[in-house]
Amino acid sequence: MERSNHTVTDFILLGFSTDPVMEKILFVLFLGVYSMTLIGNTTLIILICNDSRLHTPMYFFIGNLSFLDLWYSSVYTPKILVTCISEDKSISFAGCLAQFFFSAGLAYSECYLLAAMAYDRYTAISNPLLYAQAMSRRLCICLVVYSYTGGFVNAIILTSNTFTLDFCGDNVIDDFFCDVPPLIKLACDVRESYQSVLYFLLASNVISPTLLILTSYLFIIAAILRIRSTQGRLKAFSTCSSHLISVTLYYGSILYIYSRPSSSYSLERDKMVSTFYTVLFPMLNPMIYSLRNKDVKEALRKLFKLAHAEV
């Protein structure tokens, strides 16, 4: 029997497993990942705020990326942890809508922010002498504000179109959070106009930033090739390697999930890919941007020395 989405009061999140033992194992794993995410991103933000050597446009964007990842991970992981240890797997309709909205807004914002970071790297390599003037603090703040504004405006469009679908029959979501693929599976009939909205949002929030990033890297490669010394080329490329790894991992998983027709969604496979960019990726970012970064390592050593001196 069909029922409108207005009569749905809650959804049931199946999560990853119904086996109690496996759920406890998953709880420990997700708790460990979430703890590392909080520690890693918070530490990176503190280092960037406290060390004057990190008060540059590049680290300004990295700090904002860490803040976004803290927020992004916190949209999903606490609910996952509750689902793993509680017999109550339900999430209210309003809670599902809120989680969906913030997850979409933050995901889209990160796409724009990564594009802004690519432009920052292009400016630093192509015109290093005028880098500070070209990437002024005002411009950096504007790029971050535009990233969040664009992300959440598009999230409003996606959320309003998704939660006006008619859900019928079972209200069980075969996933660990409220997302497009499992909700589409619950919809009675996915209108062609809704599929068009998904493609529009994919083009404006993922494809367009991807093209901006690719264009930036084409100019970066051209600038690197103009550097005569091999050492200079390697040094220039090393400043982009962390961002390139981050972009590849994030955009790769996003495009895999959302660039296909709704009829080809495989919830089990998509669930694993979703876990990567929603839970694991925010943990990996601080490692990606700090493990090979001498400035961050030096700032961390300085912080430890100050903490040891105070003790």
Side-chain angles (χ1 to χ4, degrees), residues 40-259:
N41 285 289
T42 303
T43 302
L44 195 53
I45 291 171
I46 292 172
L47 291 176
I48 292 170
C49 291
N50 289 345
D51 197 305
S52 59
R53 290 171 300 180
L54 303 182
H55 293 174
T56 64
M58 181 180 77
Y59 292 110
F60 175 78
F61 287 118
I62 292 174
N64 277 279
L65 183 65
S66 290
F67 172 75
L68 193 151
D69 282 337
L70 279 174
W71 191 4
Y72 194 33
S73 179
S74 297
V75 169
Y76 306 103
T77 315
K79 183 60 181 177
I80 295 173
L81 294 174
V82 171
T83 304
C84 286
I85 61 173
S86 174
E87 293 184 2
D88 183 11
K89 311 293 184 184
S90 66
I91 182 172
S92 66
F93 184 88
C96 184
L97 186 149
Q99 187 186 64
F100 185 93
F101 169 72
F102 282 108
S103 65
L106 293 168
Y108 293 154
S109 298
E110 186 150 346
C111 289
Y112 289 123
L113 187 59
L114 288 171
M117 293 171 73
Y119 175 73
D120 170 71
R121 291 298 80 214
Y122 158 69
T123 306
I125 291 174
S126 64
N127 202 354
L129 297 178
L130 298 176
Y131 173 56
Q133 291 94 326
M135 294 300 297
S136 64
R137 185 163 186 81
R138 181 179 179 180
L139 176 60
C140 292
I141 292 173
C142 286
L143 288 173
V144 171
V145 170
Y146 292 155
S147 296
Y148 278 103
T149 302
F152 280 94
V153 166
N154 284 286
I156 292 172
I157 297 172
L158 178 62
T159 305
S160 60
N161 277 273
T162 301
F163 283 84
T164 52
L165 293 173
D166 289 330
F167 301 110
C168 55
D170 205 350
N171 66 335
V172 176
I173 294 178
D174 188 9
D175 210 331
F176 59 93
F177 72 107
C178 297
D179 195 19
V180 171
L183 286 172
I184 286 179
K185 292 290 185 182
L186 297 182
C188 305
D189 182 36
V190 179
R191 299 181 299 271
E192 189 175 332
S193 60
Y194 178 76
Q195 192 70 55
S196 299
V197 169
L198 290 183
Y199 284 130
F200 166 75
L201 293 172
L202 178 70
S204 60
N205 295 287
V206 182
I207 304 299
S208 296
T210 300
L211 292 176
L212 289 173
I213 291 171
L214 290 175
T215 302
S216 296
Y217 272 98
L218 286 176
F219 283 110
I220 287 171
I221 292 171
I224 290 175
L225 292 176
R226 288 197 296 268
I227 300 174
R228 294 183 179 181
S229 67
T230 303
Q231 186 177 0
R233 289 180 180 179
L234 291 174
K235 184 178 179 180
F237 182 75
S238 66
T239 64
C240 304
S241 58
S242 297
H243 178 260
L244 195 57
I245 293 170
S246 182
V247 166
T248 303
L249 293 175
Y250 186 71
Y251 275 89
S253 55
I254 289 285
L255 286 170
Y256 175 80
I257 292 289
Y258 300 108
S259 62

Side-chain angles (χ1 to χ4, degrees), residues 3-11 93 167-168 171:
R3 57 179 177 179
S4 169
N5 62 331
H6 295 291
T7 65
V8 175
T9 58
D10 61 8
F11 295 97
F93 184 88
F167 301 110
C168 55
N171 66 335

Side-chain angles (χ1 to χ4, degrees), residues 14-17 173-176 181-182 185 256-257 260 265-275:
L14 287 184
F16 293 93
S17 174
I173 294 178
D174 188 9
D175 210 331
F176 59 93
K185 292 290 185 182
Y256 175 80
I257 292 289
R260 295 168 295 141
Y265 288 148
S266 171
L267 295 182
E268 285 301 320
R269 185 173 62 245
D270 292 352
K271 196 185 299 184
M272 300 307 296
V273 179
S274 297
T275 306

Side-chain angles (χ1 to χ4, degrees), residues 47 51 53 293-308:
L47 291 176
D51 197 305
R53 290 171 300 180
N293 192 305
K294 293 180 181 178
D295 293 332
V296 173
K297 289 179 181 178
E298 187 59 36
L300 188 60
R301 279 193 289 267
K302 183 180 176 181
L303 183 66
F304 282 144
K305 285 180 182 179
L306 288 173
H308 182 71

